[in-house]
Amino acid sequence: MTPPPLHRSRSRSRPVPVAVPGADASAGLDVLAPVFDTLPSLIAVLDAQGRIVAVNAAWRRFGTDSGAGDPVVGLGTNYLSVCARARDACAEAGEVEDGLRRVLSGETDGFDLEYPCETPERPMWFQLQASRWEGGGPVRVVVSHTDVTARALAERALRDADRRKDEFLVMLAHELRSPLAPLLNAARLVERTETLSGRGREAIAMVARQARQLSRLVDDLLDVSRITRGKIALQRRPVDVGAAVRGAIEAAAAEVQARGHRVELDLPESAIRVDADPVRLAQMLGNLLQNACKYTPDGGRIGVSVTADAETVEIAIADDGIGIDPAKIPQLFELFHQADGTLDRASGGLGIGLTVVRRLVELHGGRVHATSPGAGQGATFTLALPRLCALAPAAGS
């Protein structure tokens, strides 16, 4: 929607009278005309029929400076008619007309709308705001157009950068995945060699472990991109939470044993089910267990517990590791955020595992949160998912 060229006053230094509802014209001129003329927004005052009864200096300047060739829109012009004529060519013009009619009728006090505007020099964006102004006198509506071009261009640049980032991550993940499969297969073959020395077996086990770690990072990169673009489709079915937890612990056994961690499991006696994608639930639990292993010193304790009420199942993974500064907890689940921001972390990752957990659990209608008393006092991460019985219809329904 292009704001039409505005009234081009021959005497631009002369202020345009601004009528104040409920006051005489001279009071309005004395009080509001100088104020309106100092504002950068394009401002017009409409009467009850939608006619322009006052404009400010910025409104007049825009028509003169933009050089646009639209019909003149200034004092006495019916702004509703201008918008009506532009409806077919511009959807926003119809929105403005409809909104102004609602404001003038008293149905609403005001509205706002952001719209693009083509000028001969460059594209611009404006934020339109319309407000009903009643002071005991005639109905008036104040319409302002604020130039938000800088913000709009910055937002567009951010969206473009975010899109390029996603494309780069996908490309990087695919390029890294190609050599990983043969590397892991070769490590498994060498591990089976009976003549391998003790030190050689340790070395190849380290290669396999690090390759698996890299493979998990690549998978997380791909998942972040898929989730961001809405490409993940959950294959949901009833899942026994206890079985899922035991499977995740078994999958993490190699890393747990390598660090000498002690895992303590606390499961309810009866089976508890959730409606979940079993592969994604295993991924969430695996990421949280991996996170606990990463930040718990060798020989430390990792506790996994499951509790439930009538509506929610909570899976808590607690450790006695390095802990988290409580001030950093709100940013933990942000993409590429790391609680320890130093570059010399021996076990650090890309800071995407927890982001994947949060986004996957939200797709399941759940949530994840973290707590920690502070540095050196361990941390607890809790997954909360809707319990299946809470989702099932009542008998006989």
Side-chain angles (χ1 to χ4, degrees):
M1 171 183 171
T2 304
L6 311 173
H7 180 68
R8 304 185 184 185
S9 171
R10 292 176 182 270
S11 177
R12 294 179 59 188
S13 61
R14 189 173 152 191
V16 175
V18 179
V20 180
D24 60 47
S26 61
L29 174 61
D30 293 342
V31 176
L32 286 183
V35 176
F36 277 17
D37 279 343
T38 62
L39 298 177
S41 298
L42 285 63
I43 299 174
V45 180
L46 313 183
D47 66 12
Q49 286 72 47
R51 289 189 297 265
I52 297 176
V53 296
V55 296
N56 73 338
W59 184 286
R60 299 190 303 276
R61 280 197 304 271
F62 183 81
T64 302
D65 297 341
S66 69
D70 298 307
V72 171
V73 177
L75 293 176
T77 302
N78 191 299
Y79 202 65
L80 294 176
S81 300
V82 172
C83 294
R85 289 195 298 271
R87 287 183 79 105
D88 293 339
C90 177
E92 290 90 346
E95 293 182 49
V96 173
E97 182 191 1
D98 295 341
L100 286 174
R101 292 190 184 280
R102 288 194 299 271
V103 175
L104 287 168
S105 68
E107 182 181 340
T108 182
D109 291 332
F111 73 96
D112 58 77
L113 172 73
E114 186 170 315
Y115 64 90
C117 169
E118 293 295 333
T119 69
E121 292 81 12
R122 62 190 176 101
M124 300 179 71
W125 282 260
F126 284 89
Q127 181 77 27
L128 180 148
Q129 294 178 303
S131 301
R132 185 181 175 90
W133 182 15
E134 295 179 277
V139 173
R140 294 288 187 265
V141 173
V142 178
V143 179
S144 69
H145 300 261
T146 303
D147 184 356
V148 293
T149 303
R151 190 198 72 197
L153 291 175
E155 290 175 350
R156 175 182 287 188
L158 284 174
R159 287 193 296 270
D160 289 343
D162 192 57
R163 175 183 52 79
R164 288 193 295 270
K165 178 259 299 177
D166 287 341
E167 293 172 352
F168 170 75
L169 291 179
V170 171
M171 179 187 67
L172 175 65
H174 282 296
E175 290 297 323
L176 290 174
R177 175 175 275 183
S178 297
L180 272 178
L183 183 62
L184 278 169
N185 289 334
R188 293 190 188 104
L189 286 174
V190 174
E191 280 182 314
R192 297 193 185 101
T193 304
E194 296 180 359
T195 58
L196 195 64
S197 66
R199 293 189 65 180
R201 196 169 297 279
E202 290 176 3
I204 202 63
M206 180 191 67
V207 170
R209 188 167 58 252
Q210 296 302 320
R212 284 192 294 271
Q213 166 73 0
L214 183 55
S215 180
R216 282 195 294 267
L217 292 175
V218 169
D219 289 341
D220 283 346
L221 276 173
L222 286 172
D223 282 335
V224 165
S225 177
R226 291 189 191 110
I227 294 170
T228 301
R229 294 180 295 153
K231 300 282 187 178
I232 286 210
L234 298 179
Q235 306 297 321
R236 299 172 75 151
R237 63 177 177 81
V239 178
D240 183 331
V241 174
V245 168
R246 285 189 290 268
I249 292 175
E250 182 179 346
E255 189 166 357
V256 168
Q257 292 170 5
R259 300 289 301 274
H261 292 143
R262 183 177 74 260
V263 177
E264 298 177 359
L265 183 60
D266 182 12
L267 298 177
E269 295 181 1
S270 57
I272 296 175
R273 296 186 304 164
V274 293
D275 182 38
D277 183 324
V279 174
R280 296 303 179 181
L281 179 56
Q283 182 179 3
M284 289 185 279
L285 294 172
N287 281 8
L288 292 179
L289 283 169
Q290 181 189 0
N291 190 76
C293 289
K294 184 188 300 181
Y295 294 110
T296 300
D298 292 357
R301 170 193 167 277
I302 298 173
V304 183
S305 62
V306 176
T307 57
D309 58 25
E311 297 183 348
T312 306
V313 178
E314 291 193 344
I315 308 169
I317 298 178
D319 62 66
D320 58 2
I322 65 173
I324 307 166
D325 180 352
K328 295 182 178 180
I329 287 179
Q331 291 81 42
L332 273 181
F333 298 94
E334 298 299 325
L335 187 61
F336 302 127
H337 177 82
Q338 295 163 330
D340 180 1
T342 60
L343 297 176
D344 60 350
R345 297 166 303 112
S347 58
L350 295 177
I352 56 180
L354 294 179
T355 302
V356 170
V357 171
R358 186 191 68 182
R359 298 190 181 182
L360 285 177
V361 76
E362 288 173 352
L363 288 177
H364 283 82
R367 64 188 186 280
V368 61
H369 66 273
T371 58
S372 175
Q377 302 180 65
T380 301
F381 289 80
T382 304
L383 277 179
L385 292 166
R387 189 171 180 174
L388 186 59
C389 62
L391 300 173
S397 63

